[in-house]
Amino acid sequence: MCGIVGVVSNAPVNQLIYDALLLLQHRGQDAAGIVTQQERKFFMHKAKGMVRDVFRTRNMRSLPGNCGLGQVRYPTAGNAFSEEEAQPFYVNAPFGIVLVHNGNLTNAHALKAELFNTDHRHINTESDSEVLLNVLAHEIEKTTRGLPLQPQDLFAAVRNVHRRVKGSYAVIALIAGHGVLAFRDPFGIRPLCLGKSADGSILASESVALEGTGYQFERNVDPGEAVFIALDGTVHAQQCADNPQLNPCIFEFVYLARPDSVMDNISVYQARLNLGETLAKRVISTVPPNEIDVVIPIPESSRPSAAQLAQLLGLPYREGFVKNRYVGRTFIMPGQSVRKKSVRQKLNAIASEFKGRNVLLVDDSIVRGTTSKEIVQMARDAGARKVYLASAAPPVRYPNVYGIDMPTSSELVAHNRSVEEIRQIIGCDALIYQDVDAMKKAIGSLNSKIKGFDASCFDGVYVTGDITSDDIDRLNASRVGGEEAQEDTSRLALPNPAE
């Protein structure tokens, strides 16, 4: 999960890209980078840290030009501690190309060998984004054959990229002296949208980055589609996949995206309201509402679901936790010990909302269970008589290979465990999970054009159709996070398609 943005304008874009990255900061807090172009020369600054820390006034002044790219990074492959792996990535031929990427390639290992042995290209980092850049550069080189660049050449190159590359990818690339090229994988797993204003065009991961910078949302980039924005502002677009189908990552709607974004014509906020509605039915079947005194969300993604659930059950909705906004998302932190330590720094309980009450805590999802266990104990320490926990998402039972940091089975509290076993680990009095099919229906009903979702972390079905246990073992070996990357996944069991 990363946040990306690209702009072609008739005015300087450095401040615009900076503002867009601030709006996408929730998608990555590890590193940030911006590249701009002026007179065919690229100007780049990237470093580890949050946007506001990476870019100072002197850095912004060194980013001239009317077109550029930006990215906030959340590492899922490669080295989390290397500044070299912050994006954008650059290659000097053909033309000079810089690229930002949101997603995760599932065949990066094979592509890296192919690039070296066949394409004669050198990869200098462990990042799959550098692999993707070099595949794109090689295919553009083949289609242009030394001739002047035309939009059709780019579309032919993207068509070949789709045939070679597997996994999830939303990509924006800046081609020196020509313009900005963007494309999305044939399944549309990672989001990408297009916006316009009187000054030019913008591409970004979420619509909130458009609206917050004064651009008008125009449309989503379709799965498999490529969009080329020339430096004069002309927009060219073409479908470049043989069999595109929209299967967006459902975890975007559950947790990752901002609630004020609209992705693939689905309001993220409305999706979370719908999840609360279906979750309410699950709660009734587990805990009688008259045994619940108050509904309390675990900030922040769960608030819409918790509010809707409370309204349907006729229960009081209260804010029982205060969040320290200056601590990063625990979900994103790479080490389990760091994650555990940060929970009480991140949240503080309001004792008066818990004392002597039976409380229903609502979270957006439960991944590792360590945060949930700490929060349940916080509620008890604040005086709660009973603590029930409801998750707006189903149990996370399987690794994610498309760009979310939960690939090893040993990290997932629900892997190979029953709900009762999970409840005992977390320490709550009752544990209620969303149903997988109900989740898909609740969100899918908001856009009839969506035929399915990538819900692989919940149901173990990988939409690209090319993932095996061996693939997951290899991806885990290249995963960021130091020693945690070496956890044994040999006992990982993917679901039997016949079941």
Side-chain angles (χ1 to χ4, degrees), residues 236-449:
H236 308 264
Q238 189 173 111
Q239 178 55 250
C240 298
D242 296 329
N243 185 31
Q245 49 185 294
L246 184 56
N247 286 266
C249 172
I250 206 163
F251 211 72
E252 291 273 1
F253 301 97
V254 170
Y255 173 80
L256 299 180
R258 272 181 50 154
D260 45 346
S261 284
V262 176
M263 303 169 67
D264 292 313
N265 299 322
I266 292 177
S267 160
V268 175
Y269 183 76
Q270 186 61 54
R272 291 173 186 171
L273 289 177
N274 286 11
L275 290 174
E277 187 172 329
T278 56
L279 183 60
K281 299 172 185 175
R282 301 281 290 184
V283 170
I284 291 172
S285 66
T286 307
V287 181
N290 61 8
E291 293 185 14
I292 301 170
D293 296 317
V294 64
V295 176
I296 294 176
I298 298 172
E300 294 186 14
S301 305
S302 66
R303 282 187 174 126
S305 298
Q308 187 76 342
L309 181 151
Q311 182 180 357
L312 290 171
L313 297 185
L315 295 169
Y317 170 90
R318 295 286 186 272
E319 292 286 344
F321 295 103
V322 175
K323 182 178 180 181
N324 180 355
R325 298 179 183 276
Y326 302 99
V327 176
R329 279 184 167 184
T330 53
F331 181 79
I332 290 176
M333 293 180 181
Q336 195 79 306
S337 59
V338 176
R339 186 177 297 111
K340 202 167 183 180
K341 178 182 177 183
S342 73
V343 175
R344 288 183 183 260
Q345 295 173 343
K346 179 182 176 182
L347 292 177
N348 191 48
I350 302 173
S352 60
E353 295 299 334
F354 293 91
K355 193 170 183 179
R357 290 177 169 176
N358 294 343
V359 299
L360 174 62
L361 304 181
V362 179
D363 208 348
D364 50 72
S365 58
I366 301 169
V367 180
R368 297 170 176 88
T370 51
T371 298
S372 301
K373 183 177 181 179
E374 286 278 309
I375 290 173
V376 167
Q377 188 58 49
M378 285 172 66
R380 294 199 190 282
D381 293 344
R385 190 165 59 239
K386 286 191 176 181
V387 182
Y388 309 120
L389 178 61
S391 169
V396 178
R397 298 191 183 279
Y398 302 98
N400 182 281
V401 299
Y402 300 127
I404 301 175
D405 182 25
M406 49 175 157
T408 59
S409 56
S410 58
E411 289 180 294
L412 306 178
V413 69
H415 182 71
N416 282 339
R417 291 190 179 100
S418 66
V419 173
E420 174 57 23
E421 288 172 328
I422 302 166
R423 184 198 67 77
Q424 291 177 14
I425 290 171
I426 292 173
C428 51
D429 294 289
L431 176 60
I432 304 102
Y433 274 110
Q434 182 76 263
D435 176 72
V436 175
D437 291 335
M439 172 189 65
K440 292 179 182 179
K441 186 176 180 181
I443 300 175
S445 64
L446 299 172
N447 182 356
S448 60
K449 292 184 178 179

Side-chain angles (χ1 to χ4, degrees), residues 433-498:
Y433 274 110
Q434 182 76 263
D435 176 72
V436 175
D437 291 335
M439 172 189 65
K440 292 179 182 179
K441 186 176 180 181
I443 300 175
S445 64
L446 299 172
N447 182 356
S448 60
K449 292 184 178 179
I450 292 180
K451 303 304 179 185
F453 292 94
D454 167 55
S456 52
C457 54
F458 303 114
D459 60 16
V461 177
Y462 297 91
V463 296
T464 54
D466 61 338
I467 303 300
T468 66
S469 295
D470 288 342
D471 293 324
I472 292 171
D473 286 344
R474 187 176 62 253
L475 288 165
N476 286 340
S478 66
R479 176 179 172 255
V480 301
E483 293 181 1
E484 285 189 297
Q486 309 306 317
E487 292 177 3
D488 178 26
T489 59
S490 59
R491 292 176 294 170
L492 171 68
L494 296 181
N496 186 340

Side-chain angles (χ1 to χ4, degrees), residues 3-26:
I4 60 175
V5 61
V7 184
V8 174
S9 178
N10 54 27
V13 297
N14 53 356
Q15 185 66 51
L16 171 62
I17 295 173
Y18 177 92
D19 293 342
L21 292 182
L22 285 178
L23 293 163
L24 296 173
Q25 185 74 85
H26 61 286

Side-chain angles (χ1 to χ4, degrees), residues 5 7 11-22 32-38 42-47 50-71 213:
V5 61
V7 184
V13 297
N14 53 356
Q15 185 66 51
L16 171 62
I17 295 173
Y18 177 92
D19 293 342
L21 292 182
L22 285 178
I34 293 176
V35 63
T36 59
Q37 177 194 283
Q38 186 177 59
F42 292 140
F43 299 84
M44 188 187 303
H45 178 69
K46 58 182 183 177
M50 307 273 273
V51 174
R52 65 173 181 264
D53 300 320
V54 169
F55 298 100
R56 302 294 184 181
T57 302
R58 65 182 181 276
N59 307 128
M60 298 298 287
R61 286 175 177 163
S62 68
L63 295 169
N66 294 356
C67 63
L69 312 176
Q71 196 233 29
T213 53

